[in-house]
Amino acid sequence: RRYGLWFRLRKLIIWLLGVYIAIPFLVKLCPAIQAKLVFLNFVRVPYFIDLKRPQDQGLNHTCNYYLQPEEDVTIGVWHTVPAALWKNARGKDQLWFEDALGSSHPVILYLHGNAGTRGGDHRVELYKVLSSLGYHVVTFDYRGWGDSIGSPSERGMTYDALHVFDWIKARSGDNPVYIWGHSLGTGVATNLVRRLCERETPPDALILESPFTNIREEARSHPFSIYRYFPGFDWFFLDPITTSGIKFANDENVKYISCSLLILHAEDDPVVPFHLGKKLYNIAATSRSFRDYKVQFVPFHTDLGYRHKYIYRSPELPRILREFLGKSEHEHHH
């Protein structure tokens, strides 16, 4: 019996080893697998929520829209008005919400990270915090996420963000518009802001929460990359990402961005290591494009336990935003 057990165990070990060795070759032969792992757009957590009903998530002053950035692409958008407009917003239609963007409140365009949808728990909690501080929050699911139609790509995500930004600007009058990216969304955010700066319509400020330098460095540092010590790791795993046209080169983009930049990062972030956020800050802080603008890095101590997605819990956040955005609004009016 003991021999039989050992035989079965040995068979299992050989099988697991075979799978472990086969996966890199599979990824190399089919780069689309690696792209899926970067986007994780098929992971819909929480699963059973109806994205057409933001009020089910406690967002009673939020309207759900659908916009069409390109033919065959439809994206689902949520617009949460500032808490001060909460009573007026009850029972109002899309037109009222669109007009409300012209009220004298700043607007934050929020670009979420991979996996999940615009209805993800930590995202919803952040919208509530920002709304209570007097901001409109506009957020959306990129093509291929949530109930948005289309297939995901870095180019497509950036184009969707550009479309929503232009849609906001067409309605917001002179109100400041800020861009906030989280995690993978920081890659979309710097792509977007670089394009906006190149066409000379920069946003009023850029906020990056838990950002990385570029997708290759992030994939190499990711805690789930059990293959990082595998011989030929770059060739097997990182090159297919690049082949799929996925770069999210924050470190390159910040050299072409000219607006105020705020970076928020928790020291105990297990998904995007803290040192990557710090490295990005050092690149931005010494970049000539920021010489007339404020560049600030705010770390959150390990003891606070904010990890990758709970910075919204910080009681300091309202003060940080008020001080930072107050200054960038001041610059904006000069």
Side-chain angles (χ1 to χ4, degrees), residues 113-281:
N114 68 0
T117 65
R118 61 190 183 278
D121 297 343
H122 63 285
R123 295 164 188 163
V124 168
E125 293 308 317
L126 179 67
Y127 313 153
K128 290 176 183 171
V129 169
L130 296 176
S131 167
S132 72
L133 297 176
Y135 300 101
H136 287 276
V137 184
V138 177
T139 186
F140 67 95
D141 279 314
Y142 317 104
R143 58 187 72 188
W145 271 260
D147 56 356
S148 298
I149 295 160
S151 54
S153 68
E154 180 174 351
R155 188 206 68 82
M157 294 162 81
T158 305
Y159 192 81
D160 294 345
L162 182 66
H163 183 80
V164 178
F165 178 84
D166 287 340
W167 179 87
I168 292 168
K169 284 302 270 188
R171 290 157 181 76
S172 61
D174 289 335
N175 297 327
V177 179
Y178 307 122
I179 289 167
W180 183 313
H182 172 246
S183 192
L184 190 68
T186 64
V188 183
T190 66
N191 280 350
L192 168 63
V193 176
R194 177 175 174 175
R195 284 185 65 170
L196 294 177
C197 290
E198 282 168 355
R199 70 171 203 195
E200 296 180 357
T201 57
D204 293 277
L206 170 61
I207 299 163
L208 300 177
E209 179 191 356
S210 319
F212 48 86
T213 42
N214 60 65
I215 201 70
R216 287 178 77 104
E217 286 198 351
E218 161 55 16
R220 194 180 284 120
S221 315
H222 199 284
F224 302 133
S225 64
I226 50 170
Y227 286 97
R228 75 182 102 166
Y229 305 113
F230 196 86
F233 175 75
D234 284 31
W235 187 79
F236 278 113
F237 289 94
L238 303 185
D239 293 352
I241 299 180
T242 312
T243 307
S244 303
I246 303 171
K247 295 190 175 72
F248 292 115
N250 288 337
D251 49 358
E252 201 44 45
N253 288 339
V254 292
K255 296 172 188 168
Y256 299 91
I257 287 175
S258 40
C259 69
S260 299
L261 170 67
L262 172 64
I263 295 179
L264 309 169
H265 214 134
E267 291 176 357
D268 58 339
D269 189 328
V271 179
V272 180
F274 179 77
H275 71 87
L276 290 185
K278 190 77 180 149
K279 185 174 174 183
L280 183 66
Y281 165 74

Side-chain angles (χ1 to χ4, degrees), residues 176 178 202-206 257-262 289-296 322-334:
Y178 307 122
D204 293 277
L206 170 61
I257 287 175
S258 40
C259 69
S260 299
L261 170 67
L262 172 64
S289 65
F290 284 106
R291 63 175 174 250
D292 299 328
Y293 297 94
K294 190 173 180 200
V295 180
Q296 190 182 348
R322 201 167 46 242
E323 287 177 8
F324 178 78
L325 295 176
K327 290 212 172 67
S328 59
E329 272 172 49
H330 175 72
E331 281 171 16
H332 172 66
H333 292 306
H334 266 261

Side-chain angles (χ1 to χ4, degrees), residues 97-113:
F97 274 83
E98 288 192 37
D99 285 345
L101 284 168
S103 66
S104 59
H105 293 271
V107 186
I108 290 179
L109 169 57
Y110 177 78
L111 304 169
H112 71 62

Side-chain angles (χ1 to χ4, degrees), residues 61-130:
H61 47 317
T62 298
C63 187
N64 180 59
Y65 311 137
Y66 291 96
L67 300 178
Q68 199 168 4
E70 294 180 288
E71 215 183 336
D72 304 329
V73 176
T74 307
I75 56 175
V77 181
W78 280 0
H79 170 199
T80 303
V81 294
L85 304 178
W86 185 81
K87 284 203 166 71
N88 304 348
R90 262 189 276 187
K92 296 293 198 295
D93 63 357
Q94 180 169 339
L95 277 173
W96 182 90
F97 274 83
E98 288 192 37
D99 285 345
L101 284 168
S103 66
S104 59
H105 293 271
V107 186
I108 290 179
L109 169 57
Y110 177 78
L111 304 169
H112 71 62
N114 68 0
T117 65
R118 61 190 183 278
D121 297 343
H122 63 285
R123 295 164 188 163
V124 168
E125 293 308 317
L126 179 67
Y127 313 153
K128 290 176 183 171
V129 169
L130 296 176

